Amino acid sequence: MTTTSAPGLLSTQQIKQLAAGQTFKGIFIVTSCFRKTDRNGRPYWEMGVSDAHGTLEAKIWTDAGWWDRSGNVTESPIPIDVEDASVLLSLVGKTMGIAGKTNDFRGQVQYNFNSLTLLDQEKYSPSDYVRRSPVAPKELADRFEALVEACGPVVCDFLRFVFAGDRWKRFKDWPAAVSHHHAYAGGLLEHTVCVAASARAIAQNYREPQTRVDMDVVIAGALLHDIGKLEAYTAFPVPEVTTEGAVLEHV
């Protein structure tokens, strides 16, 4: 369960509703971090973060404070050498405590991160801050099971064989996409049961004397149609495309 609603902490969604000139703080997962240079030659960093409510991109100027408290959050902070590219890369997927301020840039609200603290990754686990399906996991699993049980013995056994063990553990937590539909933990299962239920309903409308519809094949095909996404994407801490996904997609 996410803790971004703790007193004083704002979610990405709440920060996006702030007007220019307001301060904020929150706990987020780092999704990207790049070193850039402005038109005057001054270096800055551009960081993307996410939480259970969405994503946010912000600029980090050289006067920002960077801190490392990964050993124990109560210890004195230790500065991070942010000029080291490997350090920036190592931040991706980690939870960070961030304080910042909104400002007006050419009529639009821009976000600046002024203080960044690398948190204890066990106490502030990234898995607690990822965006998840709005439907309860048990409800999705029960709906999936009901669709499997609706099939005849042969197809039912085959589906149980395919969706077993580690594959099922991954399938129920996987995203269905990176930036489009159901791009969050549990999204693949949510999308699959919705597609299967819709396919079944459509097929039932064609069950006329002159039309033969094999409902087992319809349901099984729908439940299996996106199983390739287990190889096309990674799930945690945030959905990302794998090499296989970039080359083959989810065939």
Side-chain angles (χ1 to χ4, degrees):
M1 182 176 180
T2 182
T3 57
T4 54
S5 58
L9 301 181
L10 299 183
S11 68
T12 53
Q13 187 178 49
Q14 291 171 320
I15 293 172
K16 288 181 178 179
Q17 296 173 352
L18 297 177
Q22 294 185 278
T23 59
F24 59 84
K25 60 181 178 178
I27 297 176
F28 312 106
I29 302 172
V30 179
T31 57
S32 64
C33 191
F34 301 99
R35 184 184 174 99
K36 295 188 174 183
T37 304
D38 67 13
R39 61 183 181 182
N40 296 315
R42 297 180 302 173
Y44 69 94
W45 295 268
E46 191 168 88
M47 177 178 282
V49 298
S50 68
D51 61 10
H53 305 278
T55 60
L56 185 72
E57 290 188 353
K59 297 185 184 303
I60 306 167
W61 301 99
T62 52
D63 59 351
W66 293 73
W67 311 102
D68 184 353
R69 298 182 182 180
S70 57
N72 188 321
V73 293
T74 62
E75 290 183 355
S76 299
I78 303 171
I80 293 178
D81 178 10
V82 293
E83 293 189 16
D84 185 347
S86 65
V87 173
L88 295 180
L89 185 61
S90 71
L91 295 178
V92 175
K94 303 290 182 62
T95 46
M96 296 197 77
I98 295 174
K101 186 176 183 179
T102 60
N103 73 297
D104 180 89
F105 180 73
R106 296 179 179 176
Q108 293 188 331
V109 176
Q110 186 181 77
Y111 308 97
N112 291 335
F113 292 162
N114 302 323
S115 179
L116 303 94
T117 303
L118 182 61
L119 301 174
D120 184 324
Q121 299 301 294
E122 291 187 7
K123 184 174 181 179
Y124 300 92
S125 173
S127 63
D128 292 336
Y129 295 89
V130 297
R131 186 183 175 200
R132 294 185 175 276
S133 169
V135 185
K138 186 179 185 306
E139 179 182 340
L140 290 174
D142 289 346
R143 289 165 60 184
F144 185 93
E145 178 64 20
L147 287 162
V148 172
E149 289 184 350
C151 299
V154 174
V155 174
C156 180
D157 288 346
F158 173 71
L159 290 172
R160 293 194 189 285
F161 170 76
V162 173
F163 293 100
D166 181 65
R167 186 180 289 115
W168 169 249
K169 290 179 181 178
R170 295 169 64 208
F171 190 85
K172 65 185 179 65
D173 286 330
W174 231 242
V178 171
S179 59
H180 300 297
H181 68 90
H182 303 87
Y184 42 70
L188 181 56
L189 180 57
E190 180 188 350
H191 170 65
T192 298
V193 296
C194 288
V195 168
S198 297
R200 183 184 185 187
I202 293 171
Q204 288 173 336
N205 288 333
Y206 286 90
R207 300 189 75 172
E208 301 172 357
Q210 69 273 22
T211 306
R212 180 181 178 276
V213 177
D214 189 327
M215 295 300 292
D216 285 5
V217 172
V218 171
I219 293 173
L223 293 179
L224 291 164
H225 86 280
D226 264 350
I227 196 168
K229 290 185 175 180
L230 290 177
E231 306 303 326
Y233 306 130
T234 58
F236 298 109
V238 292
E240 292 183 346
V241 178
T242 63
T243 301
E244 291 87 345
V247 176
L248 302 174
E249 241 296 330
H250 56 284
V251 177

